Amino acid sequence: MMHYLQLSSRICMPSCISSQPKTIWTSSTSGNEMRVGHCTKVSRSVNMENLQNEYLFPEIFMREFVHTQKYPHARLIRLGVGNTTEPIPDIITSSMAEHAHALSTVRGYRGYGAEQGHMELRRAIAEKFYNNMGIEGDEVFVSDGAQCDISRLQMLLGSNVTVAVQDPSFPAYIDSTVIAGRAGRFQEETGKYKNIVYLNCRPENNFFPDLSTASRADIIFFCSPNNPTGNAASQQQLKQLVEFAKANGSIIVYDSSYAAYISDDSPRSIYEIPGAREVAIEVSSFSKFAGFTGVRLGWTVVPDELLYANGFPVIKDYNRIVCTCFNGASNIAQAGGLACLSAEGYQAITTVVDYYKENAKIIVDTFRSLGLKVYGGKNAPYIWVHFPGLSSWDVFNEILEKTDIVTIPGKGFGPGGEEYIRVGAFAHRESILEASKRLKTLF
Amino acid sequence: MMHYLQLSSRICMPSCISSQPKTIWTSSTSGNEMRVGHCTKVSRSVNMENLQNEYLFPEIFMREFVHTQKYPHARLIRLGVGNTTEPIPDIITSSMAEHAHALSTVRGYRGYGAEQGHMELRRAIAEKFYNNMGIEGDEVFVSDGAQCDISRLQMLLGSNVTVAVQDPSFPAYIDSTVIAGRAGRFQEETGKYKNIVYLNCRPENNFFPDLSTASRADIIFFCSPNNPTGNAASQQQLKQLVEFAKANGSIIVYDSSYAAYISDDSPRSIYEIPGAREVAIEVSSFSKFAGFTGVRLGWTVVPDELLYANGFPVIKDYNRIVCTCFNGASNIAQAGGLACLSAEGYQAITTVVDYYKENAKIIVDTFRSLGLKVYGGKNAPYIWVHFPGLSSWDVFNEILEKTDIVTIPGKGFGPGGEEYIRVGAFAHRESILEASKRLKTLF
């Protein structure tokens, strides 16, 4: 069964039958979702009520589904949700298979591992990605993915904490902030939540916010290379960011999930910046780096020096969260992660990353040849295409309707994404070439 | 490297070097954990400050570690943390290995799956465990484990929600409630959090609370067969519980993680009770059922009929949490889960469960032969041993010190666990027999 068909459950369908974006993106508090029957006396969370939209990526899957229902013979090309498509190198899957087989032996069986991950993997991550940055294995917490870690970070924090995000940005930062009750009310006129600080990142400011006018927030979610714009922050920009955080007493939650795609000398970790250990947590992932989107493996670095206002180490509380609210990543996935970091494994996955980067280049060239302004693609598997004056949902719909290509409307990443679409580079080469052909015909 | 050695990081060690329980279980707000250096201006969460102890199970691993440091030649027998020890049947691991290998092929590669789990697995869980109970596949949310789902349920709920737990009970219910800010202050004199309702479950009341005097709570965490007492609630008792929840407008979060161990006609699911679909969520796991403690796989059932006070379906919000704060269980683990539910796979894991049940019987007989009152072990892999008038930490320490056997002090499961220790049945048979011999010498 195809992946998107698995989503055709009765849970998800009611909100997505309509092909009108406005209907799909209405508030989930709308009265017609209420049911008749025994009601408990448990109040629905006001935070859940406050969420404006369905989560972006399942919503995109739903649009795909609706489209294929409408056009059963459409040859859909999915450049929407950043879902990896290329096989994982054999050296890595063999390592996972071997680990799985060993679980059937007395000698190789493993039950609970350390909640924080196997120390061998934690050390390997520290050595491979944070060499000479002063990060040690016991500051690395292995997890089932960056998105999950973002929610665990929300659980870690107090209710009075304020949050800033890049606008546009990966929607889990904002949505998890809303769920945790830190966002304030949604304001229709601006498309923003009242208590979230939106740091505008557009071509006009080199995708880096003007920090001289930015409001202070306790937590600054910052993703580089950025999802969705594809822009990697420079050494100089990140130096400014660390200084800003230090001056304001903020904690940066730096998402480096796309670092493997960097082609120039942009920093691959926030810890390349002096002083970052005192102000930054880093969240990262094997998903796009090693095609582990379905295998599930990520990590979070919490440096020892990162302290709350009262001097208490953040790492101690994060460790408590990991032990209480999580129970470790699958040991099979961890075996795969270790294989990724071997010399041979790393070489093999670099080849796959290069393949996606070549895809990205083809997409960039396609849109450029059409006279459109295109960003990203060089340091990231995402291409950010500008359609001045147009609604991103309209552009998304038109491309889907006329070319059977799924993209993502920029507005799904925040109000700053309006007029843009995100195009992903995760597809087989023949699909990329076919998409390029169709797009050239459309525009 | 042995599992417990992996925990010997500088994060965990400071609080566990002492062999004095009182020092280890002091509040984590104690001043000596504060550090000097740049402090951010982010306040530490008052909820994290409110946690009284380290999480129980890592704490037990630490005690083991300290013991082995003190007695390097001790032949430790671990009957503490419920960590499975027996190999997983080959039919299941082969299925996982096959899935892993397929990820290296164009045809077999899978990226993101549905956040809720593969529909085939969701349906298989519904059919195997909820046959004739009206639960369908799309009410089953596959996850990386019951403990993780308990935290996701906490994220789902509003801040004004009140919580009840069995006393004693699995510590994640209370600790996640504290982290979510629903517990109120800890009261030294009672050993209880102010806003949590503790439902006393002791031999005197057949391990079932007197509901005629119990305070109402929005959420009732109820685990059967119970961890730690090993007691399975009867049909009649669960009927009372469902009626109580219905009358009070409460939601039961029913944990059936140990259902596979039931030997008599006790219900294996809350949905065996008429009306439960309107008042209960069920959390469950492959951990103890299939030895997946390290593989990581569980599920949560949220019935369509379960409604908030305003008529909004809980399942819709839970689906949103799963999509936003989680990204699906590892597809390799899910392949293993599916193999567990095949006729041959199920037969094979039943043999392993029977092995642990035989272990449990040996432990029960051992303590009975010593004249002690023993509970559990028949419907659960846990044995609950009464030491009238003694401190459970003292008993734990004495057994560890004199026999090199690790158990768990009952007080770790709540004040109602005082005077008891929990003994787990997860070990190789020769260790169980050796433990039996050592215990008979001790007492």
Side-chain angles (χ1 to χ4, degrees):
Chain A
M1 189 189 286
M2 304 288 286
H3 167 75
Y4 61 92
L5 284 178
Q6 294 178 342
L7 282 158
S8 64
S9 71
R10 64 179 157 161
I11 302 163
C12 299
M13 287 312 292
S15 67
C16 66
I17 293 296
S18 161
S19 60
Q20 294 296 319
K22 289 285 171 187
T23 333
I24 297 181
W25 286 78
T26 53
S27 161
S28 53
T29 56
S30 63
N32 60 7
E33 299 186 76
M34 306 307 173
R35 305 257 178 89
V36 179
H38 168 80
C39 289
T40 65
K41 291 181 184 151
V42 180
S43 304
R44 186 181 179 211
S45 163
V46 293
N47 303 327
M48 296 302 295
E49 266 175 16
N50 198 24
L51 277 168
Q52 292 306 297
N53 309 316
E54 292 299 311
Y55 191 58
L56 180 62
F57 303 115
E59 196 68 47
I60 298 295
F61 276 125
M62 284 301 135
R63 302 300 187 100
E64 285 183 24
F65 178 75
V66 169
H67 185 77
T68 54
Q69 294 291 97
K70 193 170 162 193
Y71 305 107
H73 301 294
R75 285 163 47 233
L76 209 65
I77 299 176
R78 295 182 186 82
L79 307 180
V81 172
N83 199 0
T84 47
T85 56
E86 300 312 298
I88 298 171
D90 185 64
I91 182 176
I92 296 157
T93 59
S94 292
S95 170
M96 293 195 282
E98 198 182 309
H99 187 94
H101 279 307
L103 294 175
S104 281
T105 66
V106 172
R107 200 183 161 78
Y109 181 75
R110 292 284 179 280
Y112 289 121
E115 294 88 345
Q116 304 88 349
H118 294 307
M119 192 43 96
E120 196 183 349
L121 178 57
R122 301 170 77 189
R123 289 201 184 112
I125 290 171
E127 280 163 28
K128 181 60 92 180
F129 300 107
Y130 306 105
N131 193 19
N132 293 326
M133 298 178 210
I135 300 296
E136 293 185 33
D138 50 16
E139 294 169 309
V140 175
F141 294 81
V142 175
S143 77
D144 58 336
Q147 183 169 329
C148 312
D149 278 348
I150 289 161
S151 280
R152 281 186 277 268
L153 287 168
Q154 298 281 6
M155 285 193 264
L156 172 80
L157 299 166
S159 60
N160 56 343
V161 154
T162 56
V163 170
V165 297
Q166 288 159 294
D167 180 29
S169 67
F170 178 47
Y173 310 138
I174 288 180
D175 286 9
S176 66
T177 300
V178 176
I179 290 170
R182 306 191 168 100
R185 298 300 299 176
F186 184 75
Q187 300 174 297
E188 289 291 347
E189 59 280 16
T190 58
K192 298 178 180 178
Y193 290 92
K194 188 164 179 289
N195 297 343
I196 292 180
V197 175
Y198 290 74
L199 302 170
N200 205 259
C201 295
R202 299 178 69 88
E204 300 86 273
N205 59 13
N206 289 318
F207 295 102
F208 191 77
D210 179 359
L211 296 176
S212 69
T213 61
S215 302
R216 180 194 176 276
D218 288 311
I219 304 296
I220 305 168
F221 284 105
F222 198 95
C223 178
S224 179
N226 183 263
N227 174 8
T229 69
N231 184 76
S234 68
Q235 177 91 17
Q236 191 50 39
Q237 288 173 334
L238 292 182
K239 206 162 158 275
Q240 276 182 49
L241 182 68
V242 167
E243 280 163 10
F244 178 77
K246 196 147 192 176
N248 283 282
S250 305
I251 294 176
I252 301 163
V253 176
Y254 190 82
D255 187 341
S256 66
S257 294
Y258 299 96
Y261 290 81
I262 291 179
S263 304
D264 61 18
D265 62 353
S266 305
R268 290 171 179 234
S269 163
I270 191 69
Y271 303 117
E272 292 187 32
I273 312 302
R277 285 178 55 90
E278 293 178 335
V279 300
I281 288 168
E282 184 162 308
V283 169
S284 203
S285 173
F286 283 80
S287 287
K288 311 303 164 76
F289 156 61
F292 270 31
T293 41
V295 173
R296 312 300 311 136
L297 197 66
W299 73 88
T300 286
V301 176
V302 185
D304 237 10
E305 289 94 322
L306 185 67
L307 306 177
Y308 288 117
N310 66 354
F312 192 85
V314 175
I315 190 171
K316 271 196 70 83
D317 274 357
Y318 191 67
N319 184 60
R320 183 66 157 94
I321 291 284
V322 165
C323 289
T324 311
C325 306
F326 182 57
N327 220 330
S330 173
N331 51 20
I332 301 173
Q334 290 191 66
L338 207 49
C340 290
L341 303 182
S342 68
E344 199 184 333
Y346 193 75
Q347 180 57 43
I349 52 184
T350 302
T351 308
V352 182
V353 167
D354 286 345
Y355 179 93
Y356 291 130
K357 282 164 81 169
E358 182 63 27
N359 281 353
K361 192 173 175 307
I362 295 168
I363 298 168
V364 167
D365 290 347
T366 300
F367 282 106
R368 287 227 168 105
S369 77
L370 299 168
L372 291 160
K373 280 269 193 198
V374 182
Y375 305 93
K378 180 184 161 204
N379 288 327
Y382 297 126
I383 296 92
W384 191 237
V385 190
H386 195 194
F387 292 86
L390 295 182
S391 137
S392 64
W393 274 107
D394 286 348
V395 176
F396 166 86
N397 280 328
E398 187 172 346
I399 292 177
L400 179 59
E401 191 71 20
K402 296 198 175 150
T403 68
D404 301 323
I405 298 171
V406 184
T407 60
I408 299 197
K411 206 176 173 184
F413 300 96
E418 187 57 302
E419 300 191 354
Y420 288 81
I421 58 160
R422 188 191 85 174
V423 186
F426 298 110
H428 298 320
R429 181 65 45 79
E430 62 266 28
S431 299
I432 296 289
L433 294 171
E434 169 66 19
S436 174
K437 207 190 311 178
R438 291 188 200 168
L439 287 164
K440 283 178 179 168
T441 316
L442 173 66
F443 292 106
Chain B
M1 192 186 284
M2 303 288 286
H3 167 75
Y4 61 92
L5 284 179
Q6 294 177 342
L7 283 157
S8 63
S9 70
R10 62 178 159 166
I11 303 163
C12 299
M13 287 312 292
S15 67
C16 66
I17 292 296
S18 162
S19 60
Q20 292 299 318
K22 289 286 170 185
T23 333
I24 297 181
W25 287 78
T26 52
S27 161
S28 52
T29 56
S30 62
N32 59 8
E33 298 186 76
M34 305 308 173
R35 305 258 179 89
V36 179
H38 168 79
C39 289
T40 66
K41 290 181 184 153
V42 180
S43 305
R44 185 180 179 211
S45 163
V46 292
N47 303 327
M48 296 302 295
E49 266 175 14
N50 198 23
L51 278 167
Q52 291 306 297
N53 311 314
E54 292 299 312
Y55 191 57
L56 180 62
F57 303 116
E59 197 66 48
I60 297 296
F61 276 125
M62 284 302 136
R63 302 301 186 102
E64 285 183 24
F65 178 75
V66 169
H67 185 77
T68 53
Q69 295 290 98
K70 193 170 159 194
Y71 305 106
H73 301 294
R75 283 162 48 231
L76 210 66
I77 299 177
R78 295 182 185 81
L79 307 179
V81 173
N83 198 2
T84 47
T85 56
E86 299 311 299
I88 299 171
D90 185 64
I91 182 176
I92 295 156
T93 57
S94 293
S95 171
M96 293 195 283
E98 199 181 311
H99 186 94
H101 279 307
L103 294 175
S104 281
T105 66
V106 172
R107 201 184 160 78
Y109 181 75
R110 293 286 179 280
Y112 288 122
E115 293 88 344
Q116 305 87 350
H118 294 306
M119 192 43 98
E120 197 182 348
L121 178 58
R122 300 170 77 188
R123 288 200 183 111
I125 289 170
E127 279 164 28
K128 180 59 92 181
F129 300 107
Y130 305 104
N131 193 19
N132 294 325
M133 297 178 209
I135 301 296
E136 293 185 35
D138 50 16
E139 294 168 311
V140 176
F141 294 81
V142 175
S143 77
D144 59 336
Q147 182 170 329
C148 312
D149 278 350
I150 289 161
S151 281
R152 280 186 276 269
L153 288 167
Q154 298 281 7
M155 285 194 263
L156 173 79
L157 299 166
S159 60
N160 55 345
V161 154
T162 56
V163 170
V165 297
Q166 290 160 292
D167 181 29
S169 68
F170 177 48
Y173 310 139
I174 288 180
D175 285 8
S176 65
T177 300
V178 176
I179 290 171
R182 306 192 169 100
R185 297 300 300 176
F186 184 75
Q187 301 173 297
E188 288 290 349
E189 60 281 16
T190 59
K192 299 178 180 179
Y193 289 93
K194 187 164 179 287
N195 296 343
I196 292 180
V197 175
Y198 290 74
L199 302 170
N200 204 258
C201 296
R202 298 178 69 90
E204 300 86 272
N205 60 12
N206 288 318
F207 295 102
F208 192 78
D210 180 359
L211 295 176
S212 69
T213 62
S215 301
R216 180 194 177 277
D218 288 311
I219 304 296
I220 305 167
F221 284 105
F222 197 95
C223 178
S224 179
N226 184 264
N227 174 9
T229 69
N231 184 75
S234 69
Q235 177 90 17
Q236 192 50 40
Q237 288 173 334
L238 292 181
K239 205 161 158 276
Q240 276 182 49
L241 182 68
V242 166
E243 280 163 11
F244 178 77
K246 196 148 193 176
N248 283 282
S250 306
I251 295 176
I252 300 163
V253 175
Y254 189 81
D255 186 341
S256 66
S257 295
Y258 299 96
Y261 291 81
I262 292 178
S263 303
D264 60 18
D265 62 354
S266 305
R268 291 172 178 235
S269 163
I270 190 69
Y271 303 116
E272 291 187 33
I273 311 302
R277 285 179 54 89
E278 295 177 335
V279 299
I281 289 167
E282 184 162 309
V283 170
S284 203
S285 174
F286 283 80
S287 287
K288 311 301 164 78
F289 156 60
F292 271 30
T293 40
V295 173
R296 311 301 313 139
L297 197 67
W299 71 88
T300 286
V301 176
V302 185
D304 238 10
E305 289 95 323
L306 185 67
L307 306 177
Y308 288 116
N310 66 353
F312 191 86
V314 176
I315 190 172
K316 270 195 70 81
D317 275 356
Y318 191 66
N319 185 60
R320 184 65 156 93
I321 291 285
V322 165
C323 289
T324 312
C325 307
F326 183 58
N327 220 329
S330 174
N331 52 19
I332 301 173
Q334 291 191 64
L338 207 49
C340 290
L341 303 181
S342 68
E344 199 185 332
Y346 192 75
Q347 181 57 46
I349 52 184
T350 302
T351 308
V352 182
V353 167
D354 287 345
Y355 178 93
Y356 291 130
K357 283 162 78 167
E358 182 63 26
N359 281 354
K361 194 173 173 309
I362 294 168
I363 298 168
V364 167
D365 291 347
T366 299
F367 283 105
R368 286 228 169 105
S369 77
L370 299 170
L372 292 159
K373 281 270 193 195
V374 182
Y375 306 93
K378 181 184 161 200
N379 288 327
Y382 297 125
I383 296 93
W384 190 237
V385 190
H386 194 194
F387 293 85
L390 296 182
S391 139
S392 63
W393 274 107
D394 285 348
V395 176
F396 165 86
N397 280 328
E398 187 172 346
I399 292 177
L400 179 58
E401 190 71 21
K402 296 197 175 153
T403 69
D404 301 321
I405 298 171
V406 183
T407 60
I408 299 197
K411 206 176 175 186
F413 300 96
E418 188 55 302
E419 298 191 357
Y420 289 82
I421 58 160
R422 188 191 86 173
V423 186
F426 298 110
H428 298 322
R429 181 65 42 80
E430 63 266 30
S431 298
I432 296 287
L433 293 172
E434 169 68 19
S436 175
K437 207 190 309 180
R438 292 188 200 168
L439 287 164
K440 283 179 180 169
T441 314
L442 173 66
F443 292 107

